[in-house]
Amino acid sequence: MWERKLSDYKVGESFMAFFLIRKAESKTTAAGNKYLDMIFGDSSGEISARWWDCKEEDELEYVKNTLVKVKGIVAEWQGRKQIKVEKMRAANEQDGVNIGDFVPIAPWDPQDMYKELHEYTMKIGHTGIRDLVQFIICESGERILTFPAAMQNHHSVRSGLLYHTLTMLRAGEKLLEVYDFLNKDLLLAGIILHDIAKLDEINANPLGIASDYTMEGQLLGHIIQGVKRINQAARNTNLDARTAALLEHMVLAHHYEPEFGSPKRPMIPEAEILHYLDIIDARMFDMKKALEQVEEGEFTEKIWTLNNRKLYKPQHALVQADDQEQEE
Amino acid sequence: MWERKLSDYKVGESFMAFFLIRKAESKTTAAGNKYLDMIFGDSSGEISARWWDCKEEDELEYVKNTLVKVKGIVAEWQGRKQIKVEKMRAANEQDGVNIGDFVPIAPWDPQDMYKELHEYTMKIGHTGIRDLVQFIICESGERILTFPAAMQNHHSVRSGLLYHTLTMLRAGEKLLEVYDFLNKDLLLAGIILHDIAKLDEINANPLGIASDYTMEGQLLGHIIQGVKRINQAARNTNLDARTAALLEHMVLAHHYEPEFGSPKRPMIPEAEILHYLDIIDARMFDMKKALEQVEEGEFTEKIWTLNNRKLYKPQHALVQADDQEQEE
Amino acid sequence: MWERKLSDYKVGESFMAFFLIRKAESKTTAAGNKYLDMIFGDSSGEISARWWDCKEEDELEYVKNTLVKVKGIVAEWQGRKQIKVEKMRAANEQDGVNIGDFVPIAPWDPQDMYKELHEYTMKIGHTGIRDLVQFIICESGERILTFPAAMQNHHSVRSGLLYHTLTMLRAGEKLLEVYDFLNKDLLLAGIILHDIAKLDEINANPLGIASDYTMEGQLLGHIIQGVKRINQAARNTNLDARTAALLEHMVLAHHYEPEFGSPKRPMIPEAEILHYLDIIDARMFDMKKALEQVEEGEFTEKIWTLNNRKLYKPQHALVQADDQEQEE
Amino acid sequence: MWERKLSDYKVGESFMAFFLIRKAESKTTAAGNKYLDMIFGDSSGEISARWWDCKEEDELEYVKNTLVKVKGIVAEWQGRKQIKVEKMRAANEQDGVNIGDFVPIAPWDPQDMYKELHEYTMKIGHTGIRDLVQFIICESGERILTFPAAMQNHHSVRSGLLYHTLTMLRAGEKLLEVYDFLNKDLLLAGIILHDIAKLDEINANPLGIASDYTMEGQLLGHIIQGVKRINQAARNTNLDARTAALLEHMVLAHHYEPEFGSPKRPMIPEAEILHYLDIIDARMFDMKKALEQVEEGEFTEKIWTLNNRKLYKPQHALVQADDQEQEE
Amino acid sequence: MWERKLSDYKVGESFMAFFLIRKAESKTTAAGNKYLDMIFGDSSGEISARWWDCKEEDELEYVKNTLVKVKGIVAEWQGRKQIKVEKMRAANEQDGVNIGDFVPIAPWDPQDMYKELHEYTMKIGHTGIRDLVQFIICESGERILTFPAAMQNHHSVRSGLLYHTLTMLRAGEKLLEVYDFLNKDLLLAGIILHDIAKLDEINANPLGIASDYTMEGQLLGHIIQGVKRINQAARNTNLDARTAALLEHMVLAHHYEPEFGSPKRPMIPEAEILHYLDIIDARMFDMKKALEQVEEGEFTEKIWTLNNRKLYKPQHALVQADDQEQEE
Amino acid sequence: MWERKLSDYKVGESFMAFFLIRKAESKTTAAGNKYLDMIFGDSSGEISARWWDCKEEDELEYVKNTLVKVKGIVAEWQGRKQIKVEKMRAANEQDGVNIGDFVPIAPWDPQDMYKELHEYTMKIGHTGIRDLVQFIICESGERILTFPAAMQNHHSVRSGLLYHTLTMLRAGEKLLEVYDFLNKDLLLAGIILHDIAKLDEINANPLGIASDYTMEGQLLGHIIQGVKRINQAARNTNLDARTAALLEHMVLAHHYEPEFGSPKRPMIPEAEILHYLDIIDARMFDMKKALEQVEEGEFTEKIWTLNNRKLYKPQHALVQADDQEQEE
């Protein structure tokens, strides 16, 4: 795996490296020459790149999501670093690089997560609900291992759907200890199913990169598609209609507000808490990611997914100093 | 049928008549005596009534939606007419009264409307869509003949669902002549299906009186239930998934705004016009009904279903006088 | 008339053609040379153009809405086609081109539409209302033949105002058959008058191209200006004040929501349906136009005038196949 | 004039007094006897009253806004004082009472206010604007002397319209000293005209009591009616159209927000400040009145016209004590 | 302690019992006789009561929050049970009743909760933050033991403030295990302090019953009062200004939306999660309470504090049956 | 002082002049050469500038807010004037220029304004309130002389805070004459204190140019910081808590709407009028400034701070002609 971070590159430096093409557009200079305007990425981030001396046919070869080996130099344009490509070719098997290393990924291993998901499923005591959940997971197949949880918001990383589901399951299990009147089976099933129809709403490749929405995804959305899935699965697993309606309601209500896609607000406490587990997990993911990009004592830029709020990163020295002492 | 209007009754008058009990509550006087506090109705309207000398067991017999024969006198209470019941018994077959005459009903005959609905279905040229529509109508059975279109808003009358659907079909067919780029099959199917799941959302008796919402109706609503119905019917009639998605989308989007229950706004023009046909028909029904209750040159009370607007009834003499002349 | 579409031009191709200058701006290169940055248009669309070797005085001659004869070559800039002007001169009478062919126009002939408008006016039975409508049409003069219906939204094409009014009249006449309790005279008059004061709100040239708002248009808006017009016309034609108030109310309420310019919501059913006829016609125009620009099975871009919705164009094969068969 | 306040009456006390009937409704007791349920008022407030032994014909005589002489006793009902009428007759000329003393009135004399209004008119330097203002005041006639400024909100008192206009003129004249770039003529004219069409919107009797809205008032509203008035007056006084449009705009924009009736927001600073003068005057009137009804150190009830806010009345001792000392 | 529930009383039954007067109003009958209209309560609920034969002075003695011994009979009025008081006297020490048994109380013992609160305080590692939290708890004194968390919403029960704080601390501690990048000290301190100024905002008696808002509570609100408290405590405990600002921000932002009282939205993740812990705890409390009042398979009434939602109580047999089996 | 306006410069002209650097960014050309992209300003406005031949170290010297002497030529870029720098050096004492002449400034002298502020303070009769106001002014020190009133909205000029406060005091004093029931002391104090914590919210240099928000400013905002300041000052000056709460409330409520930062709406009339004085002054400032930039008879561009309204500048000849005559 490629271990150097993009932020480590210095202007003026020559290098040879592997990148994933995130975006590629063929353009023409004022002088009428073709060039490729690209964005390269690896797991550490993105950088813009230009290949001035490309040929006509290069446009067709070096498309989005191609893994390439690049010889280049780090230039600067409008105050930002930009790679000037000198040579470029598609990576091949002999290169021994793993394409999975070039996309942002969830921090846990997909197989481990899948196993943990299965364990949570087994914690559902109600046979009918458990059968339905297993039916739907089974029906989803291998795609669930790498699928992202969104086009571009929170958890839009490889295996983001699994990761989002599992942190919610962990948090949900813990809150069940505090709010012990809640029905565990409904809550666990609701968490597992709430975003499962993202698989039907979004087109994503095996790298876990979402490209666009499906036709049904646009016209109906993953919430309605999720309700349809449960409805069909209930017929296939003979779950009684009233219990199926509870699960459908949980999925239907999990965005809480009509303007965010839920025509009904939660009418059972398990649906209520499902919504808050969802939003807490999304916010913690986005905030953690945003704060990793600023220094202590600084504010981030305005963040679109957080209603254009800026976040503040407190100074470790201030808020945690004594902590250390005490621990000693 | 009972042909005298409730508004014709005079204070002080004695009478014998048939009524439907719309509401009945057992109460106790300050002196500790039981009495029945009721609302009587016939097809011309409603009036409050009290039976002061009732017995303990009467409370159980004279419940909501019972058809009764009443001997009474017209009194006045707080400035309004109120019936003082002297004698009362349940109507029986010998009385020869038709319970259907005591509830507000759509102005057209249910059987005629059902026939016209069938004719519109046959105008759908696309075999797959037509089959699906027929499957769903068939599946709905006889209830469709008398079902109201709502709990308490527009078209909440016996056979209101059929009546609402048919006026929309007529208006839709006419607009198809003006906007001829629209797909006739999608629009006709969309109109027929848009409210069909009210049958699943509302509990109504054979009189066409809605009593309350079903458990599924509360948790999901008729829009989502309609989507589920189309999804199931498409599997049963082998309609391809993309065409089914178009029909599901039309039902899903027909309330237009998220806060009115549609998580997606119309994305095809047929869905757009379906929404406007729906709202025009609802408004015309409510406005016609409200204006029938005031004199020319007067305003109605504020009407809740019309955002608390008052309506004005222009003076015929002013706006139509010349019309008459011209016609002669 | 120039019959080739802008989309047919190939990059690299030389050509000679007529265009209307839609926009022209004089700019200076880094090297200090003047050039004209323009947008050319014909009835098929628009394209950007640059004239690198222009003279100082060209800036004054080649202004917005000039019809020009151009010799040029099709270049590419930032992934889009752009015309590189080699020679350019103003079109003259000898060229025999019709300036009307270079702006987007309504699909029906203005004179035919004007005649149909007259026929609808004659269908108004109430003498006073008919006189007022005729007075206002007459007062508006010839401008009504070519006037657009808007600055940049729906029907912002030559003769758009007449076209919009007539499709609404046709649709309104049809709905009067379904909702026969409505007053025909009020509705027809309301449709004809609802946007008539756009003539006072917008400055447009004889080509039917809107350039900007008038001083009164900015300070008052066409709704209020329309009310004033009816008020004055009623004095001139001796229409009684109450009937005039009904017409003024219809114009005042036709945008329905305060935030869209209507301080009063409709209080008569004719005003209610006027609003919906207006919005249906606007939406059908915009949707038809947007869908003409994508292929079957595709979504459009987000459309600003439709709350940023994307539209979907169903596949003809799917939704209409059987239709064909049946018709045979 | 009757000088005793309603709040001075003691329960159990017998009295003879004059009142204005504010509201009167004929009701029937459980025992079937008629009685009149009324609200009496004088300039100090209101009190409920019942006349148990009234005759059939009394209902027709003792209607709203009748001035009556009453012999009665002060009873209590549901914790509140209520007058039990023993004898009642209409007041006559011999009684020597002034009906004007029985309605809430503005604190300044109508004739003085009319004179001051005239003086402000004369301060308008621009002949055309001054003529138009005078034309409209003249056209309004004597009704302006007693007219209230509203149905039930701020300044809904006799001569409230004049009073509201004059306090705004005084405040406006003062702010012109601070913001001296404003056009005095536009501002003074705008203030005088902004609510003048309340005379057309509301029906009020010579007592200055508003009863209901006019037909035009409901369908158009005083803002639009005011614009129409200026438009007509400009034609009568030959004011140029552009200046008239400025005045129309000021009236049109004075409620500021579309949802409060202004389709355009202020586009000249004089219109902007007109709005704030209007709202300040309304708020000060309502707040002063509300605070007069509570003790120092207390909160009022929630006030509907102030977005359901409660107001607080500070303790004089706290906030003003030293003031006194200093003045000595 | 009084162990019989109010719902167990039968109409017609005579009884002797202790109640707390929740509300008392002196009224007068039509016949002019005084009576007391009261609401009695114990820990099981409330019931209306009337004392027809009371004396003038009783009004002063039997006021809100008096504990009384009552001899009476259960009557019925307007379909509801109502106590007819025969004899009544204030409870005295000899009666041996505990006033605390007559108000709704939190389910945990106040002293235990106070102890647990202390333990959580000690888990704060940062000395400065811990000192400030202890200073504020200490400053609050004994009132914290019984104080309710609200006037009438969630947790408006005796010791509700402590109970609400502790369930949040427990839930917060658990989520810290899942979202381990959060600063524990800030979160624990934020939870303890977020509602502490309710003590300044609300007047409540030692029974833990809130009566009204304080003058400062109305003018500023507990959020702003909480910020002031932290600001003062930081000066007293010499906490650095930046850390104090973080705590102030957490309290300021905990209602999240401006319209709910937070002028700033959370800008650190600890403030974000504090908000969600607060709302989850409030919702779980309200939902649990509401569902305890309906049967399985039924919907509750519309609940005001939950945006007028109805809640549904699933049938145990359906959703939990297999659970039982599995556990065996 | 530099007396020539930026708008007077002609394209092609050479010049020597002093400017303040408002913004400076080091960029690199396609060819890899460094250049400085700057914005120059003087008190008459701003202009973009480029220094193509700068050295590496220039980037560090010529930063934001440096006063420089420039030899250059006026070029044009993308239709706008742009300065091409030939020589540039930092201004020094010998140059004899006053940095204060290069920033937008309030129209009145800071020392005069400070004196007037003091006079207003002395008009506060209540000793405790006056002491508190003086304490806070004193505590603020010299920064108050030059501080702007905002980052970028109204009054974001040198000494803008003082200027804004004083025009409000003058206007407030005048309205006190009209609405004489208002408490003068509270109103004067409220005006002086309402924005005082901008000093804590914003970082501004001695030139009166705001650069960014402080950490506390972001997390709390000047409204909450103002409340804290009053709270602390009250402790220092021994003002009683209730009177302090009134002042805190006035500051807290002065933005009126929760979404603009005021969690409480005004509950005393002095707070109500404080809000309107604030908004009137802001609007008059912004409108005056915007109208100075257009010709009579024209509309301005859309103005962001005025909800994207355009303003209209009436023609002097129309609205003021007669005025002149009359004055003669």
Side-chain angles (χ1 to χ4, degrees), chain B residues 299-317:
Chain B
F299 284 87
T300 65
E301 293 301 297
K302 290 184 180 179
I303 301 171
W304 184 76
T305 53
L306 298 170
N307 313 82
N308 273 325
R309 264 177 286 169
K310 295 182 172 193
L311 296 184
Y312 180 69
K313 186 171 192 165
Q315 283 159 300
H316 191 269

Side-chain angles (χ1 to χ4, degrees), chain E residues 26-41:
Chain E
S26 174
K27 294 185 175 170
T28 309
T29 62
N33 299 319
K34 287 248 166 175
Y35 68 95
L36 273 176
D37 189 7
M38 297 169 287
I39 294 180
F40 285 166

Side-chain angles (χ1 to χ4, degrees), chain D residues 182-201:
Chain D
L182 294 171
N183 182 296
K184 187 189 68 186
D185 296 348
L186 284 179
L187 184 55
L188 295 184
I191 293 173
I192 296 172
L193 298 176
H194 84 289
D195 267 355
I196 201 83
K198 295 247 177 171
L199 291 161
D200 306 325
E201 185 192 32

Side-chain angles (χ1 to χ4, degrees), chain F residues 25-175:
Chain F
E25 201 176 349
S26 173
K27 294 185 175 171
T28 309
T29 64
N33 299 320
K34 286 249 165 175
Y35 69 95
L36 272 177
D37 189 7
M38 296 170 286
I39 293 179
F40 285 166
D42 62 17
S43 65
S44 79
E46 299 191 333
I47 193 166
S48 82
R50 291 198 176 166
W51 192 10
W52 296 102
D53 309 309
C54 71
K55 280 164 285 176
E56 191 79 30
E57 61 270 27
D58 291 334
E59 183 179 351
L60 297 172
E61 183 169 0
Y62 299 105
V63 296
K64 198 173 159 176
N65 294 333
T66 310
L67 186 56
V68 289
K69 185 171 187 185
V70 176
K71 182 173 181 307
I73 190 164
V74 183
E76 190 173 5
W77 193 71
Q78 293 187 337
R80 301 189 172 195
K81 281 186 278 190
Q82 184 180 66
I83 288 176
K84 201 177 148 192
V85 174
E86 295 174 342
K87 277 189 182 170
M88 183 161 82
R89 68 160 169 81
N92 56 38
E93 295 212 355
Q94 286 71 34
D95 292 328
V97 291
N98 180 357
I99 196 165
D101 298 338
F102 292 82
V103 291
I105 54 174
W108 301 337
D109 179 72
Q111 294 295 350
D112 291 351
M113 289 196 283
Y114 193 82
K115 189 154 157 285
E116 192 177 340
L117 178 70
H118 179 70
E119 288 161 11
Y120 272 107
T121 307
M122 295 319 292
K123 291 181 183 171
I124 299 176
H126 184 288
T127 322
I129 297 176
R130 189 172 62 242
D131 287 355
L132 179 139
V133 170
Q134 283 180 316
F135 180 91
I136 287 177
I137 291 176
C138 183
E139 186 186 52
S140 305
E142 292 221 339
R143 299 169 68 218
I144 212 174
L145 284 170
T146 55
F147 216 81
M151 281 289 289
Q152 50 184 327
N153 293 343
H154 75 96
H155 294 94
S156 56
V157 301
R158 192 163 68 117
S159 305
L161 182 57
L162 258 187
Y163 180 54
H164 174 49
T165 303
L166 275 171
T167 43
M168 280 177 66
L169 282 165
R170 291 184 183 183
E173 196 174 30
K174 295 210 176 281
L175 291 190

